[in-house]
């Protein structure tokens, strides 16, 4: 036996670490999935990895020979260098790793191991894919490669002379050459545009293909059971890390001649905070990180650009409200001592609450006018149109990116199954499309059971979240009563605080803190529940897995974040009855009424706190956490400045990329999109806050991706996945919620009804003119204090209320003594009719006016399809001709011989006859 080979031992020891075992029948890969796959029999000699010391070239991206490029890096701790008593514990890991690496080499990959410069216990295994292996898996993964230069000139914008200042430097990041592409095929190499074999497949393509093999290579064989996949080896601690290499340091150019220094360019022209005003180099982002990362930043940039228009309109609406708050007629009437000061309001709770003057809400009324004015109505209609335009224009932009990035025909069939799915394929079925036999992990009945169980679990957790919200509401009702009874008395010694710490404020603050704690706890729990349910459902591809998880997590987050806002906007203060017959929750707690300034101002405050706090917390967490972790890691593994650290070890010191990748980035932005669109009628500054946050978010995400994290494994993606229908659903809901906020939460519709239908005063020459004078008095109904039920009247009365027999409350009801005492007036039904009419919207017509795919992109797609079909058709003809030629030559050769023989026979016959 040679020195570089060893005998594979069959492990008979019990499991020493916990992991997901694959104990279903034999796993056999189809050749179209792993064409180079060959199992290593038990007891067969396997080659060990070639070892080499670090050659001192810290910027090198190659093996020690300087020729073979490093496509992936695996990191582990050498068990032989551990303490003697612990070696036996790690022998299983060592055998699994040796089998795994031997499997990779048998598949055609080349490996080289180098010890760490910092810690000699840590070993780095560099992985290289030779040309033949690259060609094989490029065909397996349907990777599109260039076949001909794109002869369709792109449009030049008339304002390029101005917009060039907002683009990255073209001297550093030049425009990429555009090609027509086709799926790679090994037997048609002559038709592809190959200048240099080493540069034909980009590093991101090579990393994607390497990870495809690593995720399917076996690491243990026991009879008919095969265990495989780098992800399980990472979970089991066999390897400490696995990642593709960055091409250089982010702030220093590489000295290696063949290095493109794309990471350095991305940092200098994109990820650096000073570039916040510049457009993103999306082609370079996609080239370096893959289409999945590229499409995220494209969407985030497009969303931020569209927010600029909404922010301008929202800011204008806010300024209008701020300027008119002092001149508002209804605000003046509330603050007027002769009007608001003489209107005595009914208590808002039983026994402990007392009567109060309307002008005590003067400041709240002025603040309400900032957000609840005619400009708000215009802004709500504008945002309903904006959200529709945003989605339709994004579809067009996404179609352009699909063409430019060769993902137009990216189908589910092209995406390989997940290794976890393949491992459990033990049932056979007939494929309904191809009519061929294929293996699946569950029967039709089993799939139905898994989906039903998943849906049931999701509904249970959503109901649990709703129950927690109801619990907080009950807390608010109970505590408001308690604070109303004791808070004022407890604060007698703190006179300055008495005017500010009101029962309403104390209730809202404590309820918000409890809600925050509940949200954080539930976030932690149902995140793991969602992952567990999705794993149980066992989706076929990674895209299906992420889409399923995305839907579950968004449903949880939607209920968690928005439930309190929906309660304030549409339920609080809506079903309260009137002072003589209040509505009670659970037969005990009197339903909560709106603040003296109205529920809209409370909804505005809630949104401002949540949006602002969430944005600040997320950005601090995204910047500080990875930076501090990397700082601590570098400090703990610091070496002398005289030692050069190789490229692969520099990347190892960075933070690993999470398994869910961009999921949390999308989730954060979609939740923000919901705040911006669902409740924007109550908070016109929401787009402004979102715009400011996103300008930082783009650079923060780019900075941490480029500088603080290891290079992600490039992935193919056609669009933003399940987030697209989620955004569509939020947009549809946003149109309805904004209309309902204007109709039911705001006082806008009652004001308009009063202005156009009721208020006509005779002045200025006797001409009747519409006015808002008297609106406050018209919206307050009268209640007789003698009609309080037993035990519900106030315990104490202010001195100024001693000789008064009535109080006022917000509603449209007939006064006491009327034939329809305390019943709704006709004005109430007019207002309701106006509210319902307002809710009917027609913005969805825009969805059918704007085409999803621009005409120019359609033409380019047709042109590429034509060229591809032409080239492939010609190639097929050449291949058929090449294969048929030997047969044709053979046939024609026999025919020629037969003809010659016949001619000779005829000649001999003629000679005989002549003789």
């Amino acid at each position: 036996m040679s020195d570089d080979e060893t005998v594979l031992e069959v492990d008979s020891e019990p499991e020493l670490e916990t992991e997901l075992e694959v104990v279903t029948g034999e796993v056999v890969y189809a050749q179209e999935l792993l064409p180079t796959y060959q199992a290593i029999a038990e007891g067969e000699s396997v080659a060990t990895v070639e070892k080499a010391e670090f050659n001192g070239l810290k910027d090198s991206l190659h093996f020690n020979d300087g020729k073979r490029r490093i496509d992936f890096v695996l990191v582990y701790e050498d068990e032989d260098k551990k303490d003697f008593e612990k070696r036996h514990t790690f022998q299983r890991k060592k055998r699994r790793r040796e089998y795994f690496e031997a499997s990779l080499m048998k598949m055609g990959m080349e490996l080289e191991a180098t010890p760490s410069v910092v810690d000699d216990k840590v070993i780095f295994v560099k992985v290289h894919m030779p040309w033949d292996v690259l060609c094989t898996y490029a065909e397996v993964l349907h990777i599109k490669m260039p076949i001909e230069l794109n002869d369709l000139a792109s449009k030049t914008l008339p304002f390029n002379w101005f917009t060039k200042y907002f683009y990255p430097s073209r001297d550093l990041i030049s425009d990429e050459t555009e090609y027509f592409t086709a799926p790679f095929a090994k037997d048609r190499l002559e038709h592809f545009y190959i200048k240099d074999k080493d540069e034909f497949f980009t590093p991101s393509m090579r990393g994607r293909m390497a990870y495809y093999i690593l995720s399917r290579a076996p690491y243990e064989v026991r009879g008919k059971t095969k265990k495989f996949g780098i992800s399980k080896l990472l979970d089991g601690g066999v390897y400490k890390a696995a990642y593709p290499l960055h091409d250089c340091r982010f702030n220093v150019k590489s000295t290696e001649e063949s290095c493109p220094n794309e990471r350095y360019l991305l940092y200098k022209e994109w990820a650096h905070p000073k570039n916040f005003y510049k457009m993103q180099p999306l082609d370079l982002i996609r080239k370096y990180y893959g289409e999945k990362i590229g499409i995220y930043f494209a969407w985030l940039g497009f969303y931020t650009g569209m927010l600029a228009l909404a922010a301008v309109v929202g800011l204008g609406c806010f300024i209008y409200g701020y300027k008119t708050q002092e001149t508002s007629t209804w605000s003046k009437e509330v603050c007027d001592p002769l009007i608001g000061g003489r209107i005595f309001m009914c208590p808002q709770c039983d026994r402990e609450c007392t009567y109060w003057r309307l002008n005590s809400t003067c400041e709240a009324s002025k603040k309400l006018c900032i957000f609840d004015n005619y400009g708000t109505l215009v802004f709500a209609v504008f945002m309903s149109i904006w959200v529709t335009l945003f989605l339709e224009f994004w579809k067009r932009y996404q179609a352009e990116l699909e063409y430019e990035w060769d993902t137009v025909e990216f189908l589910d069939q092209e995406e390989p199954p997940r290794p976890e799915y393949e491992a459990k394929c033990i049932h056979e079925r007939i494929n309904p499309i191809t009519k061929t036999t294929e293996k699946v992990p569950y029967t039709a009945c089993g799939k139905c059971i898994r989906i039903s169980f998943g849906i049931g679990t999701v509904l249970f957790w959503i109901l649990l979240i709703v129950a927690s919200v109801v619990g907080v509401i009950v807390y608010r009702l109970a505590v408001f009563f308690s604070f109303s009874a004791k808070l004022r008395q407890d604060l007698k010694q703190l006179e300055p605080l008495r005017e500010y710490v009101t029962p309403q404020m104390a209730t809202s603050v404590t309820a918000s803190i409890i809600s925050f704690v509940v949200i954080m706890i539930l976030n932690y729990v149902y995140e793991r529940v969602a992952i567990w349910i999705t794993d149980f459902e066992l989706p076929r591809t990674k895209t299906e897995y992420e889409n399923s998880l995305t839907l579950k997590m968004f449903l949880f987050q939607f209920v968690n974040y928005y439930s309190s806002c929906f309660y304030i906007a549409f339920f609080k203060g809506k079903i309260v009855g009137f002072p003589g017959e209040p509505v009670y929750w659970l037969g005990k707690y009197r339903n909560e009424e709106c603040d003296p300034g109205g529920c809209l101002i409370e909804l505005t405050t809630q949104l401002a706190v949540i949006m602002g706090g969430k944005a600040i917390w997320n950005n601090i967490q995204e910047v500080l956490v990875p930076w501090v972790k990397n700082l601590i890691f570098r400090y703990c593994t610091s070496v002398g400045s005289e030692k050069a650290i190789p490229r692969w070890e520099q990347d190892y010191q960075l933070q690993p990329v999470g398994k869910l990748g961009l999921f949390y980035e999308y989730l954060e932005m979609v939740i923000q999109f919901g705040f911006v669109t669902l409740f924007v009628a109550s908070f016109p500054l929401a787009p402004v806050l979102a715009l400011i946050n996103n300008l930082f978010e783009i650079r923060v995400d780019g900075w941490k991706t480029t500088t603080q994290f290891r290079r992600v494994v490039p992935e193919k993606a056609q669009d933003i996945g399940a987030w697209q229908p989620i955004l569509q659903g939020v947009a549809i809901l946003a149109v309805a919620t904004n209309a309902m906020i204007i109709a039911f939460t705001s006082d806008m519709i009652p004001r308009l009804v009063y202005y156009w239908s009721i208020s006509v005063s005779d002045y200025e020459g006797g001409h009747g003119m519409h006015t808002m004078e008297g609106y406050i008095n018209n919206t307050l109904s009268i209640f007789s204090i003698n009609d309080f039920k037993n035990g519900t009247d106030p315990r104490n009365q202010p001195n100024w209320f001693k000789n008064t027999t009535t109080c006022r409350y917000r509603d449209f009801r007939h006064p006491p003594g009327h034939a329809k005492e305390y019943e709704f007036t006709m004005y109430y039904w007019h207002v309701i009719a106006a509210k319902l009419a307002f809710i009917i919207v027609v913005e969805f017509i825009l969805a059918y006016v704007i085409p999803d795919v621009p005409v120019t992109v359609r033409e380019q797609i047709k042109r590429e399809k034509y060229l591809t079909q032409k080239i492939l058709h010609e190639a097929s003809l050449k291949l058929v001709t090449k294969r048929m030629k030997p047969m044709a030559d053979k046939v024609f050769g026999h025919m020629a011989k037969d003809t010659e023989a016949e001619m000779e026979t005829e000649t001999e016959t003629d000679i005989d006859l002549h003789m």
Side-chain angles (χ1 to χ4, degrees), residues 798-816:
N799 293 329
W800 45 262
F801 192 79
K802 294 296 183 181
N803 299 322
T804 308
T805 58
T806 61
C807 62
R808 309 292 291 272
Y809 61 97
R810 296 177 184 271
D811 213 335
F812 304 105
R813 295 177 184 268
H814 291 292

Side-chain angles (χ1 to χ4, degrees), residues 13 119 224 230 362 388 514 584 594 615 714 716 835 901:
E13 299 172 3
D119 184 0
K224 294 184 178 181
I230 184 64
C362 177
T388 305
I514 293 175
Y584 293 91
C594 289
K716 198 84 168 176
K835 290 179 176 181

